[in-house]
Amino acid sequence: MTLITRAVNGYIEGRLGLPQIVNDMFIDDTSEGIVSRHDPSTARETDYIDGSAEGVLNIAYWARYKDAAACRRTLDMLIDCVDGVELEDGGGSTMRVTAVTLPQYVETDDKNMTTYTASIRVEYERNNEV
């Protein structure tokens, strides 16, 4: 699943010209940017006897910026960028991406950084060459 997230994040970074999307957590309490997190409650994979597999996972994106409007706008662009896209990860997986949620306000912290979140669903098929 890490290859899948990496492929989706790389696609987003390339299409939108964003800096690297970090996994799991922000680097520190003052950094701006986007973090991707797997939603383990929705992960599902079916393995077949020929070595192929298919599955579904959700990825949540968390954006944090001092400018609240830029924060929401960045997630809006991210969701629009991947909704309905089909990708390959280079490791034998074909992915179909669907937007699950629109950007939602989370908080403005004590350092005046605003956080929004939005989610996507990735349905994938892995061939038996992997």
Side-chain angles (χ1 to χ4, degrees), residues 5 12 26 34 42-43 49 59 63 81 92 105 111-112 126-127:
T5 303
I12 293 166
F26 291 100
I34 300 173
T42 61
I49 197 163
I59 303 170
C81 170
Y105 174 78
K111 294 190 175 12
N112 216 24
R126 187 179 67 229
N127 66 35

Side-chain angles (χ1 to χ4, degrees), residues 45-112:
E45 183 171 279
T46 303
D47 295 312
Y48 298 103
I49 197 163
D50 68 353
S52 64
E54 61 184 19
V56 177
L57 72 124
N58 282 4
I59 303 170
Y61 288 93
W62 295 70
R64 183 173 72 182
Y65 292 90
K66 282 196 181 284
D67 181 345
C71 187
R72 182 181 176 93
R73 189 172 46 251
T74 300
L75 278 187
D76 273 330
M77 290 186 314
L78 185 150
I79 292 300
D80 288 343
C81 170
V82 295
D83 190 29
V85 170
E86 289 194 19
L87 303 171
E88 292 186 13
D89 73 352
S93 293
T94 303
M95 300 163 281
R96 289 172 304 283
V97 185
T98 307
V100 175
T101 67
L102 296 172
Q104 183 64 44
Y105 174 78
V106 176
E107 71 173 348
T108 301
D109 66 17
D110 59 350
K111 294 190 175 12
N112 216 24

